[in-house]
Amino acid sequence: RGVPLQVAAGHCSQQVRSKKLHQHRAFGSGGTKSHSWWKAFLPHVLQRGLLQEKPARLASGFSYAAISLSEAGHTMLQTRCGSFLMCPVPEELNVVKAPAPSPVAVVRSSGAGAGAGTTVAS
């Protein structure tokens, strides 16, 4: 699965260059997402049946897993119904970042009496 991830993310590794995949029209098409994002996303797409893995063998005898778009994947792309629900969304795929917490000022007073102590102001 490493090479398809590298192609989608636009990583021009030795493996990608040796297979001339950096010239493929899909190269870098998912470059707005990190390699780790694609690595987390791929199993979900496979589980949904949108991609399929098939064992393949080169003439040299080297075997590998070929990944291709399944019929369900073709149908989803042709009908423009290009989304599916993942619940819960894995942290690696969550593109909506939580807002940074607002700073909180802690003020200590040093007097004795009923009002003395710590006050938190936001």
Side-chain angles (χ1 to χ4, degrees):
R1 293 180 188 162
V3 173
L5 296 177
Q6 292 172 18
V7 170
H11 292 265
C12 199
S13 68
Q14 177 72 28
Q15 237 180 344
V16 169
R17 281 192 310 276
S18 70
K19 297 174 182 175
K20 300 185 187 216
L21 293 172
H22 63 289
Q23 298 172 353
H24 192 278
R25 65 184 175 101
F27 180 78
S29 59
T32 58
K33 305 288 186 217
S34 69
H35 187 268
S36 60
W37 188 92
W38 283 106
K39 191 173 181 178
F41 181 67
L42 185 61
H44 297 282
V45 177
L46 285 165
Q47 183 181 16
R48 285 285 183 167
L50 303 175
L51 293 177
Q52 57 191 5
E53 284 184 297
K54 292 181 180 177
R57 186 178 307 272
L58 297 174
S60 65
F62 179 78
S63 60
Y64 63 98
I67 298 177
S68 61
L69 197 58
S70 68
E71 279 299 317
H74 278 289
T75 301
M76 186 177 108
L77 291 176
Q78 290 169 350
T79 60
R80 301 215 183 258
C81 179
S83 64
F84 61 89
L85 182 61
M86 282 189 293
C87 199
V89 175
E91 186 175 326
E92 298 86 4
L93 299 178
N94 192 359
V95 293
V96 179
K97 300 291 181 194
S102 300
V104 175
V106 177
V107 181
R108 288 195 163 270
S109 61
S110 60
T118 303
T119 304
V120 177
S122 52

